[in-house]
Amino acid sequence: MPRIVSVGTAVPEHILEQQEARAFATRLFKDSFRNFDRYLPVFDNAEIQTRRLSRPRQWFEQDRGFSERNRAYTETACRLGEEAVRRCLEPVSLSPAEVDHLFFVSTSGLATPSIDARLVNRLGLNRHVKRTPVWGLGCAGGASGLARAYEYTRAFPESRVVLLAVELCSLTFRPNDRSKSNLVASSLFADGAAAVLLTGDEVSVDHLSGPLPRVLDTMSTTWPDSEDVMGWDVTDDGLKVIFSRDIPAIVRKGILPAVEEFLSRTGISLDRIRRFIAHPGGAKVLAAYEKALDLSGEALTHSRRVLGEYGNMSSATVLFVLERELKERHQPGEYGLLTALGPGFSSELILIGW
């Protein structure tokens, strides 16, 4: 089965403390809602301390057109994408020219040529490298992209494949959108990039130390009539966030049946899963995972710490969690479950074994 060899991450240099974000949102939204103060606990309850932004916080105080924000997306996505891929490949002494296929996942900006095409020259990729850009998967994109990369390496076991997820959620912020969804988004979303290297069975990894996790199976689920739970409305001045308050309830109700269906076909029971690599969509979402799957308080430690240090970076976030998981010591025969939720409304599940 294909192996996960390494993960590299990158974030912008501009740090936003959560209390600064709270003050910024207060100035912007306080005249938009009656009894505005009752909405402010969303910043404290998010369990986020810091986030990273592609531009200084003051940049967002002025109204920016969609074209200006998207130019910032293209520039920053190329820079962070290059950094994440290099950090992924360098520890295993692999040259970018040796990558056979680059999967690129993003939902927070638009670019044609796509970001992966622009990275061919920046990274020194082989000019014949295969590329697959994927747009619109939102927070599920990191897990979904990993699943697609796994399928490719199964079909072509001699391949070295890189998945790159870049999300610059801050650049979608529209100060004239005074909706509750935009207020919640301002308390939660951030920017970051992550790259994962997968290899097929015919690629030698004998020179690497320690057991490498193998991707054993994947499953995608899209719940019917749920398109309005999460996503974007495309407006004249950019992408308007759709963010339902019902997401934690949907997780509590829907995730356990999906996980049980997935594991039943693998022959691995839920009580044999020792590692949980969950996309931290928010503190309430993680609490819903814990309740639905009856997890211990320590099971989602990496997810909570990534959320606290970086916020929700959409598709890239679960790969930050994966990076921390790979630094742990594992016993042969251990199993892990990687999971993320996104627009659709959809779930991605990946079974990993050491």
Side-chain angles (χ1 to χ4, degrees):
M1 288 296 186
R3 290 149 298 196
I4 299 173
V5 177
S6 61
V7 180
T9 58
V11 291
E13 65 272 25
H14 305 292
I15 299 174
L16 178 70
E17 301 286 344
Q18 187 73 335
Q19 290 307 306
E20 185 180 3
R22 187 179 191 268
F24 171 75
T26 298
R27 293 194 299 272
L28 187 65
F29 289 94
K30 66 179 180 181
D31 296 328
S32 301
F33 304 113
R34 295 177 61 184
N35 302 318
F36 173 75
D37 287 350
R38 70 188 183 96
Y39 294 102
L40 284 178
V42 70
F43 287 86
D44 300 322
N45 297 338
E47 298 183 11
I48 295 170
Q49 288 79 51
T50 58
R51 286 177 277 161
R52 298 299 185 104
L53 306 182
S54 297
R55 294 291 185 271
R57 195 265 306 156
Q58 293 80 2
W59 189 85
F60 297 92
E61 293 182 353
Q62 299 181 28
D63 189 16
R64 310 279 178 174
F66 185 32
S67 61
E68 181 181 1
R69 285 183 277 121
N70 202 68
R71 284 194 300 272
Y73 165 86
T74 301
E75 180 272 321
T76 308
C78 288
R79 177 167 54 85
L80 293 184
E82 178 184 3
E83 186 176 342
V85 172
R86 292 196 186 280
R87 288 181 175 175
C88 176
L89 299 180
E90 286 171 358
V92 295
S93 301
L94 191 70
S95 164
E98 297 176 272
V99 173
D100 299 298
H101 197 128
L102 175 61
F103 286 82
F104 175 73
V105 172
S106 189
T107 308
S108 45
L110 304 172
T112 304
S114 54
I115 301 300
D116 48 290
R118 298 166 193 257
L119 288 175
V120 171
N121 289 328
R122 291 182 67 124
L123 283 165
L125 294 166
N126 189 306
R127 66 191 182 97
H128 300 300
V129 67
K130 296 177 176 63
R131 299 182 292 106
T132 302
V134 184
W135 195 88
L137 294 172
C139 293
S144 182
L146 192 63
R148 303 294 82 78
Y150 151 77
E151 292 163 354
Y152 186 88
T153 50
R154 283 199 68 185
F156 301 96
E158 73 287 357
S159 295
R160 300 176 180 89
V161 175
V162 169
L163 161 68
L164 173 63
V166 179
E167 299 290 4
L168 309 179
C169 303
S170 72
L171 296 176
T172 69
F173 182 75
R174 300 158 54 254
N176 293 324
D177 176 7
R178 304 300 172 85
S179 65
K180 293 178 184 178
S181 290
N182 200 31
L183 175 62
V184 172
S186 71
S187 74
L188 189 62
F189 288 108
D191 303 347
V196 183
L197 171 65
L198 293 90
T199 59
D201 288 342
E202 296 179 13
V203 178
S204 174
V205 292
D206 294 340
H207 62 291
L208 301 177
S209 61
L212 295 177
R214 294 179 178 270
V215 178
L216 304 177
D217 200 2
T218 72
M219 187 178 82
S220 302
T221 302
T222 302
W223 285 281
D225 304 318
S226 59
E227 294 93 337
D228 59 348
V229 172
M230 181 190 297
W232 301 120
D233 272 338
V234 181
T235 68
D236 290 341
D237 64 342
L239 304 173
K240 174 182 173 66
V241 66
I242 301 171
F243 200 64
S244 172
R245 63 184 297 177
D246 297 329
I247 292 173
I250 296 172
V251 176
R252 288 192 296 270
K253 180 180 179 181
I255 197 64
L256 179 59
V259 169
E260 289 179 333
E261 179 184 357
F262 174 49
L263 293 180
S264 67
R265 73 187 196 190
T266 69
I268 305 298
S269 59
L270 181 57
D271 61 5
R272 294 181 64 189
I273 303 296
R274 292 288 179 263
R275 309 286 180 157
F276 289 88
I277 306 158
H279 166 68
K284 289 184 178 180
V285 173
L286 292 179
Y289 269 119
E290 290 174 335
K291 183 174 182 179
L293 301 180
D294 193 24
L295 302 180
S296 70
E298 301 298 317
L300 300 180
T301 295
H302 290 317
S303 295
R304 290 192 180 280
R305 288 178 177 172
V306 168
L307 179 66
E309 294 173 27
Y310 297 104
N312 184 343
M313 299 169 286
S314 191
S315 69
T317 323
V318 74
L319 305 181
F320 276 67
V321 182
L322 177 62
E323 179 185 40
R324 296 193 176 200
E325 183 62 50
L326 295 187
K327 294 178 181 178
E328 298 281 353
R329 296 184 64 181
H330 302 88
Q331 298 299 320
E334 273 193 316
Y335 293 103
L337 183 67
L338 188 147
T339 175
L341 299 164
F345 186 65
S346 60
S347 160
E348 294 287 342
L349 297 169
I350 298 178
L351 181 63
I352 297 171
W354 279 266

